[in-house]
Amino acid sequence: MSTYLSEDEQVAQLKKLWKDYGWSTLIAVAVGLAISYGWHFWKNRQLEIRYQASNGYEHLLLAQEQNDTAQVQKITDNLKQHFSHTPYAGFAALIAAKQAVDDNHLDKALAQLTWVVQHAKLSATRQIARNRKARILLAQHKPQAALQQLKKIDDASFSSAVEVIKGDAYMALKQTTKAKHAYGEALTHYPSDLGSRLIVERQFHQLPAKEA
């Protein structure tokens, strides 16, 4: 039965089915209509949610451009609270973390990044958050905590970046053999056309094969 029939037409159809086939067919049709209605309702609701989340994220980008820290935080909190199951919540928390770093509020940045690691739906978003957390921990002179953060890999496409951060952490711990190994691992994954590869190559070649 078409879901686009008028209400009167649907009633007439149901009466005819009842007359011709009885309860079993009538129930089957009613169930089918309920499922169809439920599916369309769910689909439309998901579209509405994605639109609201996207719209909020656009406002967040504008607030970031205007360097409005308070508004960035407000919108991020709203997206995390009401739209945590969409990618936009994770994106927003990454931006809020960057804003916190720019404002030299590293603990706030770490809190945002921790949320991303625990809740973001996209593996790439979680991995970016892990890498940035590790960088902040290194800036706070906590290389061991940085290494702990990178024990889990959410997205293998970030392997080279992970190994570079590990190398920097081992350098901070004065474990040059492990640092050289990490930089070497990074180079096996690094695209040859990236300018930053030269920096990693320099770090790799400057280190001795073994610790003195």
Side-chain angles (χ1 to χ4, degrees), residues 62-78:
L62 180 60
Q64 181 194 26
E65 184 178 336
Q66 296 173 343
N67 201 30
D68 188 341
T69 301
Q71 190 67 3
V72 166
Q73 184 65 56
K74 180 179 179 181
I75 297 174
T76 299
D77 288 344
N78 181 66

Side-chain angles (χ1 to χ4, degrees), residues 38-52:
W39 165 251
H40 285 292
F41 177 81
W42 181 86
K43 186 177 180 181
N44 289 336
R45 177 59 179 159
Q46 294 306 306
L47 288 173
E48 180 184 351
I49 288 173
R50 284 199 292 270
Y51 171 76
Q52 291 176 357

Side-chain angles (χ1 to χ4, degrees), residues 9-180:
E9 289 172 329
Q10 290 186 19
V11 170
Q13 286 272 23
L14 289 174
K15 286 180 178 179
K16 184 177 186 303
L17 287 169
W18 163 248
K19 180 180 179 181
D20 293 343
Y21 301 104
W23 277 108
S24 59
T25 300
L26 185 61
I27 291 173
V29 171
V31 170
L33 284 173
I35 292 174
S36 177
Y37 175 78
W39 165 251
H40 285 292
F41 177 81
W42 181 86
K43 186 177 180 181
N44 289 336
R45 177 59 179 159
Q46 294 306 306
L47 288 173
E48 180 184 351
I49 288 173
R50 284 199 292 270
Y51 171 76
Q52 291 176 357
S54 173
N55 189 52
Y57 185 69
E58 289 181 9
H59 282 84
L60 174 69
L61 294 177
L62 180 60
Q64 181 194 26
E65 184 178 336
Q66 296 173 343
N67 201 30
D68 188 341
T69 301
Q71 190 67 3
V72 166
Q73 184 65 56
K74 180 179 179 181
I75 297 174
T76 299
D77 288 344
N78 181 66
L79 287 170
K80 286 162 59 178
Q81 181 177 356
H82 299 290
F83 304 97
S84 61
H85 57 291
T86 72
Y88 295 105
F91 299 159
L94 287 178
I95 289 177
K98 182 182 183 303
Q99 187 78 49
V101 170
D102 292 342
D103 294 338
N104 202 31
H105 295 152
L106 298 186
D107 288 339
K108 289 183 178 181
L110 286 173
Q112 292 286 0
L113 294 172
T114 297
W115 188 93
V116 177
V117 169
Q118 294 175 348
H119 297 94
K121 300 305 177 185
L122 299 179
S123 60
T125 307
R126 295 195 300 273
Q127 190 63 56
I128 290 170
R130 284 188 186 279
N131 292 359
R132 292 182 182 179
K133 277 191 72 176
R135 281 295 183 196
I136 292 175
L137 290 167
L138 279 176
Q140 293 180 326
H141 308 291
K142 299 175 182 178
Q144 201 63 57
L147 289 170
Q148 184 68 30
Q149 187 60 223
L150 298 175
K151 277 191 172 182
K152 180 177 180 181
I153 304 296
D154 290 293
D155 191 323
S157 65
F158 289 83
S159 294
S160 57
V162 169
E163 292 298 332
V164 170
I165 300 170
K166 284 183 177 179
D168 293 346
Y170 285 128
M171 285 293 291
L173 292 168
K174 302 187 185 307
Q175 298 178 9
T176 55
T177 300
K178 289 183 177 180
K180 188 177 182 72

